[in-house]
Amino acid sequence: MNTLLRDMLKSTPDAPSTLLLNVAEQAVQGWVNAQQNILDLMTEQSEQAVAATKEASGSPTKSLAALNELIQRTAGRAIAAEKDMVEFATNQNKAVSEAIKQKVGAAGTPVVVTATEMMQHAVDALLANQREFLDVAAKLSKTIAAKA
């Protein structure tokens, strides 16, 4: 289906560029990969919860230690999932920006190209701040775990 659509777009002179189709395809693939990573993390979480329950049964000390480990791994997995989504957003931001610049660049409109670059830099800065926040959260989680 995707190949058929591309061929139709190439053969129709007034059709929008296949760049947007490429960006959409990359977006869907990236989203599917990110969702798969999150599902993998959730599966690991469930497996650990079951193992912790079995291990901790009968001993309050073991129960507390197992709960602490479960909480720490949960935090680590949540941070990892967020980092995956930030990476996905970063890649999409770049892909959309490049597609717009290529499409508009051919038309010779430098104002739109400059605006696109400014938007890309602003979103990149926001995503960089999100990465820093997640790094701090990961360090804090490890510090708390070490004190427990």
Side-chain angles (χ1 to χ4, degrees):
M1 177 70 175
N2 192 17
T3 305
L4 177 63
L5 186 55
R6 283 181 200 278
D7 291 342
M8 283 177 30
L9 287 173
K10 287 178 185 176
S11 67
T12 308
D14 294 332
S17 172
T18 56
L19 290 172
L20 294 179
L21 181 60
N22 290 336
V23 169
E25 181 180 3
Q26 290 172 5
V28 170
Q29 186 59 48
W31 183 81
V32 167
N33 290 341
Q35 293 301 312
Q36 181 63 47
N37 289 341
I38 290 171
L39 288 173
D40 290 345
L41 291 171
M42 289 172 64
T43 300
E44 289 176 25
Q45 181 68 29
S46 297
E47 290 171 354
Q48 186 187 7
V50 169
T53 301
K54 288 179 183 176
E55 179 184 316
S57 61
S59 169
T61 304
K62 283 184 178 181
S63 294
L64 185 57
L67 178 61
N68 184 39
E69 184 179 348
L70 180 64
I71 290 169
Q72 293 308 313
R73 287 192 181 185
T74 299
R77 287 184 183 111
I79 291 168
E82 285 294 319
K83 285 184 176 184
D84 285 346
M85 295 309 291
V86 168
E87 187 63 29
F88 169 69
T90 299
N91 292 338
Q92 282 310 111
N93 182 45
K94 183 177 179 181
V96 168
S97 179
E98 289 300 316
I100 291 171
K101 285 191 276 186
Q102 287 180 11
K103 180 69 176 168
V104 173
T109 53
V111 172
V112 174
V113 172
T114 301
T116 301
E117 288 172 352
M118 289 174 59
M119 287 173 40
Q120 180 183 358
H121 291 304
V123 173
D124 284 345
L126 176 69
L127 293 171
N129 285 337
Q130 183 66 17
R131 273 190 219 94
E132 287 178 29
F133 172 78
L134 292 170
D135 289 342
V136 169
K139 287 177 188 175
L140 180 61
S141 176
K142 288 178 184 176
T143 301
I144 292 170
K147 291 180 180 181

